[in-house]
Structure formats: C-alpha cells, structure tokens
C-alpha cells in the first residue's frame, strides 16, 4: 500500500467482510447458519502452502520471506468466516464481499483492481459486474482465476490482466492455480495484448513466497507491476 501510494497512486485497501476484524461481519447470520464457522490459518498450514519451506522451521535456502519474524505473522492472522463446500474460487466470491467491493468502486470510480489469494474470487466477480469501473486487473497468486472464455471476456471488458506468481509452486501444491491464471492471461490477451503472466522464477527471480508483498524484494516486484500499469 505505502509503495504504490508513494508512487503517486491513490490506494484503497479492502478488508473482506469475512474477516472478523473488518467490522462487516454479520454475527447473527453466522449463528443461524448450519455450515458457517470461524477459522484461522495456522503456521503448520501456512508454512508449506505459502512457500516458506517444505516443513515448519525448515526454510528454503533462497526464501525471500523474513522467516525469523514468522511469530509476528502468525499473531496477525485474523479469524474469518468459513462456510465450507464449494470449489475453486466460488466460496470466496460471497455476495456480501462482492457487494462491498462493488460499492467501493462505485464510490471511488474506475480503478486498477489488485487482488491477492482468496481475494481473487470476489475481485473477478466484481470485474464482471461493473466492468466499466475496472481499468486493469493485477492478480497475485489468486484463488479462482477464471478459465471460461465468456467469463474472461466479460471481466473488465477490455481491461488488461496481469497474473503474478512466486517460486516453489509445484512443491506447495499450487500448480493448478498457476495454470488457471496463465489461461486467464492468455484469454484476456486475445482482447488486450498487454495481458500477461509474470512468473518470477522465469524472470530469474527466485525464492518468492505467496506473501511476496512482505518478501525482502517486494519493492522490485511492485516496480514491475507499476511499470506494467504505466505501459
């Protein structure tokens, strides 16, 4: 957020309503639901899935994340509503979350939409709903990248799409998600040639994690995104 703001971009940070600390959680609906429950990521799950290393406490030699500060990271994990069921990004594109993000875009006007991880599903849904308000889409290791040509065609109209992926994708079981993001970029490229997938290892940049915005080379990655936005 600070890096993009210093580069001259007005930045709005969206805290999904499913996060307990967002202030948007409807606890009454949660209590009435048979499937909803509160969940929280654990370091045992996050360490291998997010690319810190093969096992907790065993980092990759070239890992870019400051693993010495992982306790601080764990302390920051918010509780969130998990409704269970669903596959891909569908369970993340909740009506409440999509409506909130749409309301933000209606308030601030046409914007570059930058989504990360589980935020992908709702971001893509909003890009379909209000395409005129989405100038470009940057998806950092998203969940639910669309592979249906019709959906991609509707997503942001002719808005260029950029996917961004870090390292050790196969080791952390994310190959399918990366392939889906590649497909999204290729389909978007049929309308907007600027669309692309930035695979950092393919660019000679190793060790980046799922939390690349906190990796030690986050400025370098942000610069690549800023250059693409400027282009």
């Amino acid at each position: 957020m600070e890096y993009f703001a210093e580069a001259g971009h007005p930045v709005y940070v969206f805290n999904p309503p499913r996060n307990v600390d967002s202030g948007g959680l409807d606890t009454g609906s949660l209590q009435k639901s048979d499937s909803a429950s509160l969940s929280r990521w654990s370091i045992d799950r996050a360490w291998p899935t997010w690319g810190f290393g093969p096992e907790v406490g065993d980092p990759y030699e070239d890992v870019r994340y400051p693993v010495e500060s992982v306790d601080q990271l764990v302390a920051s994990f918010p509780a969130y509503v998990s409704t269970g069921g669903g596959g891909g990004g569908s369970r993340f594109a909740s009506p409440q979350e999509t409506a909130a993000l749409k309301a933000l875009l209606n308030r601030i006007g046409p914007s570059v939409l930058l989504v990360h991880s589980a935020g992908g599903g709702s971001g893509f849904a909003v890009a379909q709903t209000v395409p005129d308000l989405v100038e470009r889409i940057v998806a950092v290791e998203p969940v639910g990248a669309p592979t249906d040509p019709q959906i991609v065609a509707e997503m942001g109209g002719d808005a260029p799409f950029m996917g961004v992926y870090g390292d050790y994708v196969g080791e952390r079981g994310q190959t399918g998600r990366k392939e889906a993001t590649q497909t999204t970029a290729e389909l978007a490229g049929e309308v907007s040639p600027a669309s692309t997938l930035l695979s950092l290892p393919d660019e000679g940049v190793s060790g980046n994690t799922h939390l690349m915005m906190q990796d030690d080379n986050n400025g370098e990655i942000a610069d690549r995104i800023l250059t693409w936005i400027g282009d």
Side-chain angles (χ1 to χ4, degrees), residues 54-103:
E55 297 179 358
V56 176
D58 180 20
Y60 293 120
E61 185 175 345
D62 59 352
V63 68
R64 297 281 190 168
Y65 193 86
V67 292
E68 68 276 5
S69 301
V70 74
D71 289 344
Q72 184 178 354
L73 171 68
V74 174
S76 74
F77 288 164
Y80 64 91
V81 176
S82 175
T83 56
S90 60
R91 59 179 170 157
F92 297 104
S94 71
Q96 182 188 26
E97 184 169 325
T98 302
L101 184 53
K102 178 183 175 182

Side-chain angles (χ1 to χ4, degrees), residues 11-98:
V11 180
Y12 296 80
V13 180
F14 179 76
N15 193 358
R18 68 175 178 273
N19 287 347
V20 171
D21 65 352
S22 71
L25 179 63
D26 183 352
T27 54
S29 297
L30 176 63
Q31 292 172 351
K32 296 175 183 178
S33 173
D34 293 331
S35 59
S37 62
L38 289 180
S39 301
R40 190 190 302 269
W41 274 77
S42 68
I43 191 57
D44 291 339
R45 179 186 177 197
W47 187 285
T49 304
W50 293 351
F52 298 163
E55 297 179 358
V56 176
D58 180 20
Y60 293 120
E61 185 175 345
D62 59 352
V63 68
R64 297 281 190 168
Y65 193 86
V67 292
E68 68 276 5
S69 301
V70 74
D71 289 344
Q72 184 178 354
L73 171 68
V74 174
S76 74
F77 288 164
Y80 64 91
V81 176
S82 175
T83 56
S90 60
R91 59 179 170 157
F92 297 104
S94 71
Q96 182 188 26
E97 184 169 325
T98 302

Side-chain angles (χ1 to χ4, degrees), residues 120-191:
S122 292
F124 300 143
V126 166
Q128 282 185 272
T129 305
V130 286
D132 292 344
L133 295 179
V134 178
E135 295 181 336
R136 288 183 177 236
I137 303 170
V138 181
V140 180
E141 298 206 353
V143 175
T147 57
D148 182 279
Q150 182 64 33
I151 292 177
V152 177
E154 296 171 354
M155 198 173 66
D158 59 355
F161 172 90
M162 181 188 206
V164 186
Y165 256 87
D167 210 346
Y168 296 103
V169 172
E171 288 83 349
R172 48 194 173 104
Q174 303 301 307
T175 301
R177 290 183 180 177
K178 182 177 181 180
E179 290 175 347
T181 306
Q182 174 73 64
T183 299
T184 305
E186 292 173 353
L187 291 171
E190 295 177 3
V191 176

Side-chain angles (χ1 to χ4, degrees), residues 164-230:
V164 186
Y165 256 87
D167 210 346
Y168 296 103
V169 172
E171 288 83 349
R172 48 194 173 104
Q174 303 301 307
T175 301
R177 290 183 180 177
K178 182 177 181 180
E179 290 175 347
T181 306
Q182 174 73 64
T183 299
T184 305
E186 292 173 353
L187 291 171
E190 295 177 3
V191 176
S192 176
S195 298
T196 186
L197 174 69
L198 173 60
S199 176
L200 293 169
D202 293 344
E203 298 286 323
V205 182
S206 64
N208 277 112
T209 71
H210 185 60
L211 300 188
M212 61 185 72
M213 68 290 296
Q214 294 182 353
D215 288 347
D216 63 12
N217 63 337
N218 56 4
E220 177 185 350
I221 299 169
D223 282 336
R224 289 172 181 252
I225 295 173
L226 285 166
T227 298
W228 180 79
I229 291 173

